[in-house]
Tab-separated table of all heavy atoms in Angstrom:
chain	number	residue	atom	x	y	z
A	111	GLU	N	12.131	-6.602	0.157
A	111	GLU	CA	13.592	-6.476	0.129
A	111	GLU	C	14.146	-5.614	1.255
A	111	GLU	O	15.348	-5.645	1.550
A	111	GLU	CB	14.072	-5.938	-1.224
A	111	GLU	CG	13.618	-4.539	-1.571
A	111	GLU	CD	12.288	-4.492	-2.306
A	111	GLU	OE1	11.526	-5.497	-2.237
A	111	GLU	OE2	12.002	-3.462	-2.940
A	112	ARG	N	13.284	-4.824	1.917
A	112	ARG	CA	13.752	-4.006	3.032
A	112	ARG	C	13.890	-4.819	4.308
A	112	ARG	O	14.574	-4.406	5.248
A	112	ARG	CB	12.820	-2.815	3.275
A	112	ARG	CG	12.700	-1.828	2.123
A	112	ARG	CD	14.055	-1.281	1.665
A	112	ARG	NE	14.763	-0.603	2.735
A	112	ARG	CZ	14.620	0.677	3.032
A	112	ARG	NH1	13.787	1.428	2.334
A	112	ARG	NH2	15.339	1.225	4.005
A	113	GLY	N	13.206	-5.954	4.379
A	113	GLY	CA	13.385	-6.866	5.501
A	113	GLY	C	12.842	-6.385	6.825
A	113	GLY	O	13.341	-6.761	7.896
A	114	PHE	N	11.789	-5.567	6.809
A	114	PHE	CA	11.216	-5.061	8.061
A	114	PHE	C	10.091	-5.943	8.589
A	114	PHE	O	9.821	-5.946	9.784
A	114	PHE	CB	10.640	-3.654	7.848
A	114	PHE	CG	11.666	-2.557	7.840
A	114	PHE	CD1	12.106	-2.010	6.655
A	114	PHE	CD2	12.205	-2.078	9.026
A	114	PHE	CE1	13.052	-0.996	6.638
A	114	PHE	CE2	13.157	-1.070	9.026
A	114	PHE	CZ	13.578	-0.527	7.833
A	115	SER	N	9.422	-6.650	7.695
A	115	SER	CA	8.163	-7.283	8.073
A	115	SER	C	8.161	-8.787	7.849
A	115	SER	O	8.699	-9.282	6.860
A	115	SER	CB	7.016	-6.653	7.272
A	115	SER	OG	5.796	-7.306	7.526
A	116	PHE	N	7.506	-9.505	8.758
A	116	PHE	CA	7.317	-10.950	8.609
A	116	PHE	C	6.168	-11.251	7.651
A	116	PHE	O	5.936	-12.395	7.282
A	116	PHE	CB	7.042	-11.602	9.972
A	116	PHE	CG	6.033	-10.860	10.795
A	116	PHE	CD1	4.683	-10.951	10.534
A	116	PHE	CD2	6.457	-10.052	11.836
A	116	PHE	CE1	3.762	-10.253	11.292
A	116	PHE	CE2	5.536	-9.353	12.611
A	116	PHE	CZ	4.189	-9.456	12.333
A	117	MET	N	5.436	-10.207	7.242
A	117	MET	CA	4.316	-10.400	6.322
A	117	MET	C	4.786	-10.629	4.888
A	117	MET	O	4.047	-11.147	4.062
A	117	MET	CB	3.386	-9.175	6.366
A	117	MET	CG	2.821	-8.870	7.739
A	117	MET	SD	1.774	-10.202	8.377
A	117	MET	CE	0.358	-10.040	7.277
A	118	HIS	N	6.007	-10.211	4.586
A	118	HIS	CA	6.567	-10.352	3.235
A	118	HIS	C	7.958	-10.950	3.371
A	118	HIS	O	8.865	-10.302	3.886
A	118	HIS	CB	6.645	-8.988	2.535
A	118	HIS	CG	5.355	-8.219	2.558
A	118	HIS	ND1	4.341	-8.457	1.667
A	118	HIS	CD2	4.907	-7.241	3.390
A	118	HIS	CE1	3.320	-7.645	1.933
A	118	HIS	NE2	3.644	-6.904	2.980
A	119	ASP	N	8.126	-12.180	2.919
A	119	ASP	CA	9.417	-12.847	3.066
A	119	ASP	C	10.471	-12.176	2.192
A	119	ASP	O	10.256	-11.938	1.001
A	119	ASP	CB	9.292	-14.322	2.685
A	119	ASP	CG	10.514	-15.128	3.103
A	119	ASP	OD1	11.205	-14.694	4.050
A	119	ASP	OD2	10.771	-16.179	2.496
A	120	GLY	N	11.585	-11.826	2.816
A	120	GLY	CA	12.671	-11.173	2.091
A	120	GLY	C	13.933	-11.217	2.910
A	120	GLY	O	13.951	-11.777	4.021
A	121	PRO	N	15.014	-10.625	2.403
A	121	PRO	CA	16.278	-10.613	3.145
A	121	PRO	C	16.095	-9.941	4.505
A	121	PRO	O	15.402	-8.927	4.617
A	121	PRO	CB	17.204	-9.775	2.250
A	121	PRO	CG	16.569	-9.813	0.899
A	121	PRO	CD	15.097	-9.914	1.125
A	122	LEU	N	16.705	-10.492	5.533
A	122	LEU	CA	16.555	-9.969	6.896
A	122	LEU	C	17.494	-8.772	7.070
A	122	LEU	O	18.622	-8.913	7.520
A	122	LEU	CB	16.861	-11.067	7.922
A	122	LEU	CG	16.611	-10.744	9.391
A	122	LEU	CD1	15.178	-10.295	9.622
A	122	LEU	CD2	16.944	-11.950	10.251
A	123	ASP	N	17.004	-7.588	6.702
A	123	ASP	CA	17.828	-6.385	6.681
A	123	ASP	C	17.458	-5.435	7.815
A	123	ASP	O	18.181	-5.256	8.769
A	123	ASP	CB	17.684	-5.692	5.319
A	123	ASP	CG	18.721	-4.605	5.103
A	123	ASP	OD1	19.001	-3.848	6.050
A	123	ASP	OD2	19.265	-4.498	3.990
A	124	MET	N	16.313	-4.759	7.699
A	124	MET	CA	15.740	-3.868	8.720
A	124	MET	C	16.441	-2.525	8.881
A	124	MET	O	16.055	-1.738	9.741
A	124	MET	CB	15.653	-4.538	10.105
A	124	MET	CG	14.680	-5.673	10.202
A	124	MET	SD	14.298	-6.042	11.934
A	124	MET	CE	13.394	-7.570	11.767
A	125	ARG	N	17.439	-2.196	8.092
A	125	ARG	CA	18.117	-0.906	8.241
A	125	ARG	C	17.310	0.200	7.580
A	125	ARG	O	16.900	0.078	6.428
A	125	ARG	CB	19.511	-0.950	7.606
A	125	ARG	CG	20.494	-1.875	8.290
A	125	ARG	CD	21.754	-2.033	7.459
A	125	ARG	NE	21.454	-2.668	6.176
A	125	ARG	CZ	22.314	-2.754	5.162
A	125	ARG	NH1	23.523	-2.237	5.286
A	125	ARG	NH2	21.966	-3.351	4.033
A	126	MET	N	17.085	1.297	8.289
A	126	MET	CA	16.453	2.478	7.691
A	126	MET	C	17.344	3.015	6.567
A	126	MET	O	16.869	3.371	5.496
A	126	MET	CB	16.240	3.571	8.742
A	126	MET	CG	15.340	3.178	9.888
A	126	MET	SD	13.612	3.217	9.429
A	126	MET	CE	12.854	2.968	11.033
A	127	ASP	N	18.633	3.106	6.852
A	127	ASP	CA	19.616	3.505	5.847
A	127	ASP	C	20.355	2.244	5.437
A	127	ASP	O	21.313	1.828	6.084
A	127	ASP	CB	20.598	4.541	6.418
A	127	ASP	CG	21.592	5.042	5.364
A	127	ASP	OD1	21.636	4.456	4.256
A	127	ASP	OD2	22.321	6.009	5.644
A	128	ASN	N	19.900	1.630	4.339
A	128	ASN	CA	20.490	0.348	3.961
A	128	ASN	C	21.776	0.490	3.162
A	128	ASN	O	22.227	-0.449	2.507
A	128	ASN	CB	19.479	-0.528	3.200
A	128	ASN	CG	18.864	0.179	2.008
A	128	ASN	OD1	19.326	1.244	1.599
A	128	ASN	ND2	17.819	-0.408	1.449
A	129	SER	N	22.382	1.682	3.242
A	129	SER	CA	23.676	1.888	2.601
A	129	SER	C	24.828	1.718	3.593
A	129	SER	O	25.992	1.766	3.208
A	129	SER	CB	23.749	3.287	1.974
A	129	SER	OG	23.765	4.295	2.974
A	130	GLN	N	24.500	1.524	4.871
A	130	GLN	CA	25.559	1.394	5.868
A	130	GLN	C	25.087	0.625	7.089
A	130	GLN	O	23.894	0.520	7.338
A	130	GLN	CB	26.062	2.778	6.297
A	130	GLN	CG	24.992	3.654	6.909
A	130	GLN	CD	25.527	5.025	7.288
A	130	GLN	OE1	26.703	5.179	7.594
A	130	GLN	NE2	24.671	6.032	7.265
A	131	GLY	N	26.059	0.092	7.846
A	131	GLY	CA	25.750	-0.604	9.082
A	131	GLY	C	25.408	-2.069	8.888
A	131	GLY	O	25.237	-2.561	7.772
A	132	GLN	N	25.295	-2.793	10.003
A	132	GLN	CA	24.973	-4.210	9.988
A	132	GLN	C	23.510	-4.449	9.641
A	132	GLN	O	22.621	-3.721	10.097
A	132	GLN	CB	25.234	-4.829	11.366
A	132	GLN	CG	26.644	-5.272	11.633
A	132	GLN	CD	26.723	-6.095	12.920
A	132	GLN	OE1	26.149	-5.737	13.935
A	132	GLN	NE2	27.442	-7.201	12.866
A	133	THR	N	23.248	-5.504	8.884
A	133	THR	CA	21.873	-5.947	8.678
A	133	THR	C	21.419	-6.666	9.944
A	133	THR	O	22.228	-7.055	10.792
A	133	THR	CB	21.765	-6.917	7.491
A	133	THR	OG1	22.488	-8.118	7.815
A	133	THR	CG2	22.315	-6.306	6.206
A	134	ALA	N	20.116	-6.882	10.033
A	134	ALA	CA	19.596	-7.633	11.189
A	134	ALA	C	20.154	-9.049	11.204
A	134	ALA	O	20.452	-9.596	12.271
A	134	ALA	CB	18.074	-7.663	11.133
A	135	ALA	N	20.309	-9.657	10.023
A	135	ALA	CA	20.856	-11.018	9.942
A	135	ALA	C	22.278	-11.064	10.498
A	135	ALA	O	22.634	-11.980	11.255
A	135	ALA	CB	20.829	-11.504	8.497
A	136	GLU	N	23.094	-10.091	10.138
A	136	GLU	CA	24.479	-10.032	10.623
A	136	GLU	C	24.521	-9.783	12.125
A	136	GLU	O	25.313	-10.398	12.849
A	136	GLU	CB	25.240	-8.935	9.868
A	136	GLU	CG	25.449	-9.250	8.396
A	136	GLU	CD	25.888	-8.038	7.582
A	136	GLU	OE1	25.712	-6.890	8.062
A	136	GLU	OE2	26.388	-8.230	6.467
A	137	TRP	N	23.657	-8.879	12.594
A	137	TRP	CA	23.639	-8.553	14.018
A	137	TRP	C	23.213	-9.757	14.855
A	137	TRP	O	23.813	-10.052	15.890
A	137	TRP	CB	22.703	-7.377	14.267
A	137	TRP	CG	22.636	-6.981	15.712
A	137	TRP	CD1	23.563	-6.280	16.425
A	137	TRP	CD2	21.576	-7.305	16.628
A	137	TRP	NE1	23.156	-6.138	17.737
A	137	TRP	CE2	21.946	-6.750	17.884
A	137	TRP	CE3	20.376	-7.984	16.507
A	137	TRP	CZ2	21.131	-6.869	19.006
A	137	TRP	CZ3	19.560	-8.107	17.634
A	137	TRP	CH2	19.939	-7.545	18.860
A	138	LEU	N	22.196	-10.491	14.385
A	138	LEU	CA	21.713	-11.655	15.127
A	138	LEU	C	22.771	-12.749	15.216
A	138	LEU	O	22.848	-13.484	16.203
A	138	LEU	CB	20.445	-12.213	14.466
A	138	LEU	CG	19.166	-11.394	14.677
A	138	LEU	CD1	18.030	-11.959	13.840
A	138	LEU	CD2	18.775	-11.344	16.147
A	139	LEU	N	23.594	-12.845	14.199
A	139	LEU	CA	24.661	-13.845	14.222
A	139	LEU	C	25.737	-13.485	15.242
A	139	LEU	O	26.303	-14.356	15.909
A	139	LEU	CB	25.282	-13.971	12.823
A	139	LEU	CG	26.245	-15.145	12.600
A	139	LEU	CD1	25.524	-16.480	12.771
A	139	LEU	CD2	26.885	-15.058	11.219
A	140	ASP	N	25.996	-12.180	15.398
A	140	ASP	CA	27.071	-11.708	16.276
A	140	ASP	C	26.657	-11.551	17.735
A	140	ASP	O	27.468	-11.728	18.641
A	140	ASP	CB	27.597	-10.349	15.786
A	140	ASP	CG	28.367	-10.465	14.477
A	140	ASP	OD1	28.725	-11.594	14.102
A	140	ASP	OD2	28.591	-9.417	13.840
Side-chain angles (χ1 to χ4, degrees):
E111 64 271 19
R112 298 305 301 272
F114 281 101
S115 175
F116 46 77
M117 302 297 290
H118 309 278
D119 192 24
L122 186 56
D123 192 319
M124 293 197 190
R125 294 170 297 169
M126 299 283 188
D127 183 350
N128 54 12
S129 68
Q130 60 181 331
Q132 275 190 315
T133 65
E136 293 166 342
W137 180 76
L138 286 173
L139 191 63
D140 290 345

